[in-house]
Amino acid sequence: MDGRDLLEPDALRSFAVFAEHRNFTTAAAVLHISQPSLHVKIRKLSAALGAELYERDGRRLTLTAAGERLAAFALDSRRRADEFLRELHQDTAPTVTIAAGRGALRWVIAEPIRQIGRQGRRVHVITTNRDGALSALTAGQADLAVIAHDPPGRQVEAVQIAAYRQVLVIDDGHPLATRRQIRLRDIDGLDLVVPPVGRAHRRALDRALLDADVTWQVAAEVDGWDLLVHLVALGVGATIVNGCVEVPDGLRAVPIHGLPKIRYWAAWRPQRQSLVRDLLDQFGHRP
């Protein structure tokens, strides 16, 4: 028996469940089989494929690179089977799963999601950060990932779908609120509401302000464009966000000269291109 023989629905389903839980006891219970039986299935699968599928890290089980690829393949196979059954019984169009951050979902891709919903497509959303979105994509848990800043690696297909200038959000009574545009040096001395250390936007902002020799203070650290703006409305400080973010009454968004545009990318695995084609059309891109 070779690897092709073992890549049958039963073996794939067993490995997909194991990959989801990374625990033999839990996965065996979900599959309604004994734990030794699951061990045997995965050991045979590993031997037939000639690759280790998981490894132990203390008490934790982690998938190897081959295991991650097999898990994604298994999820793709299950999704295609579900889609076939829906089409066979003339059910609605298959669900598309999108992984993206809250800001992207609210201000960047809200209209495309609305449009494909009007076409009868169901949308499942995974709200996560850039790393989480790409992980969900490569693991086969998401059909499309929308990420900001740098494009993803070559392991997936990607296209730029939007680019926005960065703006300073301040109280409309602030002296800078009367400007049509400001420069980085105008921010010197401000208290800023910023994302936590380690976030992509925070890293880029720290670097740009340091290069411009701008002195500033952290007024607060929160995650998400909406919360950044909300704290400005509460009088905590100013903030820098994408120009697509809507600001409430009483605040002003002033474009900043000297900061790069923030670019958004839609990424997908080639195996899921047919499923995301309609959504990519809404972004103005036809694969």
Side-chain angles (χ1 to χ4, degrees):
M1 182 175 291
D2 61 17
R4 183 181 297 274
D5 294 323
L6 279 172
L7 290 181
E8 296 295 331
D10 179 61
L12 283 179
R13 178 171 181 266
S14 296
F15 186 75
V17 173
F18 166 73
E20 179 182 358
H21 296 283
R22 314 291 169 93
N23 181 283
F24 278 102
T25 302
T26 303
V30 171
L31 292 165
H32 302 292
I33 61 176
S34 69
Q35 184 174 330
S37 295
L38 181 58
H39 272 283
V40 170
K41 285 177 182 287
I42 293 180
R43 186 167 62 249
K44 286 184 177 180
L45 189 57
S46 177
L49 294 175
E52 295 295 328
L53 301 178
Y54 71 92
E55 56 191 10
R56 292 189 178 275
D57 181 11
R59 299 182 64 182
R60 295 175 58 251
L61 299 180
T62 60
L63 298 184
T64 63
E68 294 281 3
R69 293 179 63 186
L70 181 60
F73 175 78
L75 283 172
D76 280 340
S77 298
R78 292 177 67 183
R79 294 284 295 277
R80 284 196 293 269
D82 290 341
E83 291 160 14
F84 169 76
L85 290 173
R86 279 192 293 265
E87 293 173 2
L88 182 65
H89 296 288
Q90 298 181 342
D91 200 351
T92 56
T95 299
V96 59
T97 300
I98 303 172
R102 293 188 315 190
L105 289 167
R106 183 171 180 181
W107 287 296
V108 180
I109 60 173
E111 186 57 31
I113 290 176
R114 182 181 294 111
Q115 290 300 325
I116 66 168
R118 289 172 177 169
Q119 297 170 8
R121 299 289 300 278
R122 291 194 179 100
V123 176
H124 175 243
V125 172
I126 300 174
T127 307
T128 183
N129 59 21
R130 175 191 172 93
D131 291 341
L134 290 176
S135 294
L137 185 67
T138 56
Q141 297 165 346
D143 304 307
L144 190 80
V146 176
I147 59 174
H149 301 285
D150 298 328
R154 295 182 178 179
Q155 71 273 19
V156 296
E157 302 288 332
V159 62
Q160 182 180 313
I161 59 172
Y164 301 99
R165 294 187 68 179
Q166 297 187 60
V167 297
L168 177 70
V169 178
I170 48 180
D171 186 276
D172 60 10
H174 193 281
L176 294 176
T178 60
R179 304 274 193 91
R180 296 184 61 183
Q181 178 176 280
I182 63 172
R183 295 181 177 275
L184 277 175
R185 63 171 177 265
D186 296 320
I187 300 173
D188 193 76
L190 288 185
D191 293 335
L192 295 178
V193 182
V194 292
V197 173
R199 295 290 192 267
H201 180 55
R202 173 67 179 273
R203 290 197 302 267
L205 192 58
D206 284 341
R207 186 165 53 246
L209 294 176
L210 179 63
D211 290 344
D213 198 25
V214 171
T215 301
W216 60 284
Q217 296 79 39
V218 174
E221 293 181 319
V222 292
D223 204 6
W225 302 124
D226 51 351
L227 289 179
L228 291 171
V229 172
H230 181 62
L231 287 188
V232 177
L234 295 178
V236 174
T239 194
I240 297 173
V241 298
N242 289 358
C244 63
V245 176
E246 298 176 7
V247 300
D249 292 341
L251 300 184
R252 174 82 193 285
V254 184
I256 303 171
H257 177 73
L259 286 179
K261 290 183 177 180
I262 295 185
R263 305 180 186 280
Y264 283 86
W265 307 82
W268 66 96
R269 296 170 59 240
Q271 298 90 332
R272 307 306 290 165
Q273 181 167 300
S274 60
L275 184 65
V276 303
R277 183 176 290 114
D278 291 346
L279 190 54
L280 292 172
D281 285 346
Q282 295 297 328
F283 295 143
H285 174 75
R286 184 176 293 276

